[in-house]
Amino acid sequence: MSTNVAFQRCINPDCAAELDCGFAEGGFKCPKCGELLDTQYNWDKIKVPRKLSEFGKRWSTRNNSLDFSGVWRFRELLNFCEDKYKVTIGEGQTVLQQNDAVAKYVDMKPGCLFLQYEGLNPSGSFKDNGMTAAFSHASMIGAKSCVCASTGNTSASMALYAHSCGLKATVFIGSGRIAFGKLSQAMDYGSQTIQIAGDFDDCMRQVQDVCTKLGLYLLNSLNPFRLEGQKTIMYRIIEALNWELPDWIVVPGGNLGNSSAFGKAFSELKQLGLIKRIPRMAIINAAGADTLTELVNNRKLTWNNGRTNQKTIDDFYADLTARNFSPHTCASAIEISRPVNLKKCLRAIDVTNGVVRKVTDEEICDAKAVIGKHGLGCEPASAATIAGLRHLRTEGVISAGERVACVLTGHVLKDPGVTVNYHKEKQGEFSNPPIEAPNDINEIIKLIK
Ligand SMILES: *Cc1c(COP(=O)(O)O)cnc(C)c1O
């Protein structure tokens, strides 16, 4: 057992290889068995506050940039590097909005629905929570050049952070299916963008091989330090609820980094005695990219104490390959059919007594318009949470009076194409298209309601 404050450990209990935090080769796969790695801590060597509310005191010292950061304000809970290596650009200044109008849409009681709006991050998505942590790790180990595969937001966030700490950045994107707001960011923030003839899953495979061959630093959510940063989204929800727990967390599922990080956050808080119970989690897939739903709900795949049934996964993936399947959804951020964090996510489902659902693109777009009209605009993947919550309310899995926090993962301007089409092409019941008017004052006045 490592005696370091922080170390990495393989999630496979039959391997459980331990590595120090300096290890970053081969895209963060266990060098012994190829499984995912976790960041782990020897908590007795860390001065963790005895109560969560202690972290709130850092609001009064926010002229210190680490106290200002919504990630590093909780730094004892992700204590893998010294302060001098920490990279921050003001991430995590996000809000938890109680929203009764959206609550009504999902048939919840007033005061029960909360939207955790991660679109307020510097690059406009929750990914910045992870990047600040991963880039701190990269700077600690002296990385010079970094790379990611992306459906868009990872690249936007990576590009922004890379240049603020002087790393070269290369982004792999699939052809065609990337939202314009996101692509524009990667280019504008100066990263080299390589568009591969293939989908996200193809990019993900290529980027891992490139990392191994060229020794580049990987910033996908295979990077366990990125997930450490994403844990803080849960801390901020608890903070905004005045250090109380919600009953449910609802999150979209793509590469399953967020859901994995949230499960880890809660199990650590419980282990540390900082919370007494763990909220339940609902993970929402898009119907056109529903690997998790299929594996968990239909093929009964479980974490099983780390001894997940690999054959179930292999058979399903072989089936995808045989069908030449490529995922399709307007929620491009979750258009992923081979999620790299699948096993960590199964562990999170186990820890949180979680559920998985899928929603159609129509449901996503309607929910997105409702969120836009009544609260904080978000991108399609984020709206999957509200669409999924509606299912869970109809089924009675979640009751009207429970407290639910939905994570709105990205900003509405990330994907203007989906929004404009929904409204202008009158695609759904909440479409709000522009009204055409002649250039005539009287005619215009008649139109104004
Ligand atoms: C990356 C992303 C997701 C998917 O998150 P995972 O951690 O990969 O499951 C969802 N929504 C948005 C806006 C994203 O950028």
Side-chain angles (χ1 to χ4, degrees), residues 101-145:
V102 181
K104 195 163 176 231
Y105 177 69
V106 294
D107 189 25
M108 298 212 39
K109 287 187 183 155
C112 290
L113 179 67
F114 297 83
L115 305 176
Q116 174 66 18
Y117 187 49
E118 291 296 315
L120 289 175
N121 275 293
S123 81
S125 84
F126 78 83
K127 298 292 196 302
D128 296 350
N129 292 284
M131 289 297 165
T132 186
F135 274 98
S136 300
H137 177 257
S139 89
M140 177 172 88
I141 67 168
K144 298 279 179 292
S145 185

Side-chain angles (χ1 to χ4, degrees), residues 104-227:
K104 195 163 176 231
Y105 177 69
V106 294
D107 189 25
M108 298 212 39
K109 287 187 183 155
C112 290
L113 179 67
F114 297 83
L115 305 176
Q116 174 66 18
Y117 187 49
E118 291 296 315
L120 289 175
N121 275 293
S123 81
S125 84
F126 78 83
K127 298 292 196 302
D128 296 350
N129 292 284
M131 289 297 165
T132 186
F135 274 98
S136 300
H137 177 257
S139 89
M140 177 172 88
I141 67 168
K144 298 279 179 292
S145 185
C146 60
V147 63
C148 72
S150 182
T151 63
N153 281 333
T154 300
S155 53
S157 183
M158 182 185 87
L160 192 56
Y161 277 85
H163 291 282
S164 65
C165 56
L167 266 75
K168 276 199 279 187
T170 306
V171 169
F172 286 23
I173 57 172
S175 45
R177 305 188 50 82
I178 180 170
F180 245 58
K182 307 177 187 184
L183 180 58
S184 68
Q185 286 179 292
M187 296 188 294
D188 205 46
Y189 302 156
S191 73
Q192 182 186 28
T193 305
I194 298 178
Q195 195 152 17
I196 293 171
D199 61 21
F200 175 81
D201 297 303
D202 297 319
C203 291
M204 195 65 230
R205 268 192 298 268
Q206 294 290 358
V207 84
Q208 290 183 63
D209 291 347
V210 167
C211 272
T212 309
K213 286 218 163 74
L214 302 183
L216 304 179
Y217 188 86
L218 180 69
L219 279 153
N220 281 95
S221 51
L222 279 170
N223 181 324
F225 299 97
R226 227 189 84 183
L227 299 192

Side-chain angles (χ1 to χ4, degrees), residues 125-127 153-154 182 221 230 252-259 333-334 336 379 381-382 409-410:
S125 84
F126 78 83
K127 298 292 196 302
N153 281 333
T154 300
K182 307 177 187 184
S221 51
Q230 290 169 212
N255 237 345
L256 306 177
N258 249 350
S259 45
I334 52 173
I336 295 172
E379 65 169 278
S382 314
T409 45

Side-chain angles (χ1 to χ4, degrees), residues 87-371:
V87 176
T88 175
I89 56 172
E91 59 286 324
Q93 307 306 315
T94 61
V95 295
L96 184 74
Q97 184 194 63
Q98 189 202 304
N99 195 313
D100 289 346
V102 181
K104 195 163 176 231
Y105 177 69
V106 294
D107 189 25
M108 298 212 39
K109 287 187 183 155
C112 290
L113 179 67
F114 297 83
L115 305 176
Q116 174 66 18
Y117 187 49
E118 291 296 315
L120 289 175
N121 275 293
S123 81
S125 84
F126 78 83
K127 298 292 196 302
D128 296 350
N129 292 284
M131 289 297 165
T132 186
F135 274 98
S136 300
H137 177 257
S139 89
M140 177 172 88
I141 67 168
K144 298 279 179 292
S145 185
C146 60
V147 63
C148 72
S150 182
T151 63
N153 281 333
T154 300
S155 53
S157 183
M158 182 185 87
L160 192 56
Y161 277 85
H163 291 282
S164 65
C165 56
L167 266 75
K168 276 199 279 187
T170 306
V171 169
F172 286 23
I173 57 172
S175 45
R177 305 188 50 82
I178 180 170
F180 245 58
K182 307 177 187 184
L183 180 58
S184 68
Q185 286 179 292
M187 296 188 294
D188 205 46
Y189 302 156
S191 73
Q192 182 186 28
T193 305
I194 298 178
Q195 195 152 17
I196 293 171
D199 61 21
F200 175 81
D201 297 303
D202 297 319
C203 291
M204 195 65 230
R205 268 192 298 268
Q206 294 290 358
V207 84
Q208 290 183 63
D209 291 347
V210 167
C211 272
T212 309
K213 286 218 163 74
L214 302 183
L216 304 179
Y217 188 86
L218 180 69
L219 279 153
N220 281 95
S221 51
L222 279 170
N223 181 324
F225 299 97
R226 227 189 84 183
L227 299 192
E228 291 305 288
Q230 290 169 212
K231 293 189 306 193
T232 65
I233 301 169
M234 295 301 102
Y235 308 153
R236 294 199 299 275
I237 288 178
I238 299 171
E239 181 181 45
L241 292 173
N242 203 16
W243 309 106
E244 287 175 13
L245 289 164
D247 298 305
W248 284 89
I249 299 291
V250 187
V251 61
N255 237 345
L256 306 177
N258 249 350
S259 45
S260 299
F262 298 170
K264 186 170 187 282
F266 289 123
S267 79
E268 288 172 350
L269 291 180
K270 182 99 190 303
Q271 186 196 338
L272 289 165
L274 292 166
I275 57 173
K276 292 203 175 60
R277 64 173 174 91
I278 291 179
R280 296 187 69 186
M281 180 159 60
I283 305 166
I284 313 300
N285 275 162
D290 64 347
T291 292
L292 185 70
T293 315
E294 172 65 22
L295 288 176
V296 170
N297 292 355
N298 300 344
R299 305 194 184 202
K300 307 298 172 203
L301 187 69
T302 62
W303 169 239
N304 191 28
N305 292 315
R307 295 183 179 90
T308 302
N309 190 337
Q310 186 66 44
K311 187 170 179 303
T312 305
I313 302 171
D314 292 344
D315 287 352
F316 180 65
Y317 286 173
D319 183 43
L320 291 184
T321 306
R323 285 191 282 135
N324 218 345
F325 179 83
S326 189
H328 269 282
T329 165
C330 69
S332 56
I334 52 173
E335 190 177 54
I336 295 172
S337 64
R338 289 175 173 78
V340 297
N341 290 298
L342 174 63
K343 289 188 184 168
K344 285 186 177 178
C345 176
L346 294 170
R347 182 176 64 182
I349 292 171
D350 190 62
V351 160
T352 62
N353 189 15
V355 298
V356 182
R357 291 294 182 273
K358 63 177 173 184
V359 292
T360 65
D361 279 10
E362 291 70 30
E363 291 171 313
I364 288 174
C365 288
D366 284 343
K368 183 181 156 313
V370 170
I371 298 165

